[in-house]
Amino acid sequence: MTPDELATLCLSLPQAIETYPFGEQTTVFKTSGNGKIFALGVLDAVPLTLSVKVDPEEGRALREEYPSHITPGYHLNKKHWVTLLLDGTLDDSLVEQLVRDSHALVRPSVPRAPRG
């Protein structure tokens, strides 16, 4: 997955915005509704890496299955974040699912319609 494809994926999610709170090198994707981060990385780094939020159990399983490509979140809570090494080894569909799952963990809940 290229940096442009990754940015397009992140920005295609509901209420997703791109910000640079840690300087212009680190791209941070968060939801505009509550400002919670769901993905961040240096998109022009070689190799490309991206950190995403995960369920702790899923994160543990992913780190065991892909020990050299999915590691504890770099400079993040190691229990709730993983860093993905995107050198072409991880399948794009897995990366896409992890980004979508991360977004789902932080997105604002949609208010229910009033019952009449």
Side-chain angles (χ1 to χ4, degrees):
M1 185 170 287
T2 69
D4 287 341
E5 291 169 335
L6 195 56
T8 299
L9 166 63
C10 290
L11 292 172
S12 73
L13 300 171
Q15 299 182 357
I17 59 172
E18 183 176 359
T19 65
Y20 298 88
F22 306 118
E24 53 187 62
Q25 285 188 327
T26 304
T27 305
V28 175
F29 297 98
K30 59 171 100 174
T31 59
S32 61
N34 60 13
K36 291 188 178 181
I37 297 171
F38 67 90
L40 68 151
V42 179
L43 299 187
D44 61 356
V46 177
L48 176 61
T49 61
L50 183 75
S51 295
V52 294
K53 191 164 189 158
V54 293
D55 170 81
E57 292 300 317
E58 181 182 9
R60 185 176 303 117
L62 288 165
R63 289 190 304 270
E64 288 175 8
E65 187 171 351
Y66 304 99
S68 59
H69 288 83
I70 300 180
T71 57
Y74 181 69
H75 285 302
L76 298 161
N77 182 318
K78 310 294 187 228
K79 182 177 179 181
H80 295 280
W81 290 84
V82 293
T83 297
L84 314 174
L85 175 62
L86 303 177
D87 64 359
T89 301
L90 295 175
D91 191 64
D92 283 355
S93 62
L94 173 62
V95 174
E96 182 176 337
Q97 188 60 52
L98 291 171
V99 169
R100 290 182 184 283
D101 290 350
S102 179
H103 179 267
L105 287 170
V106 304
R107 73 174 172 235
S109 58
V110 177
R112 293 184 180 184
R115 294 186 184 198

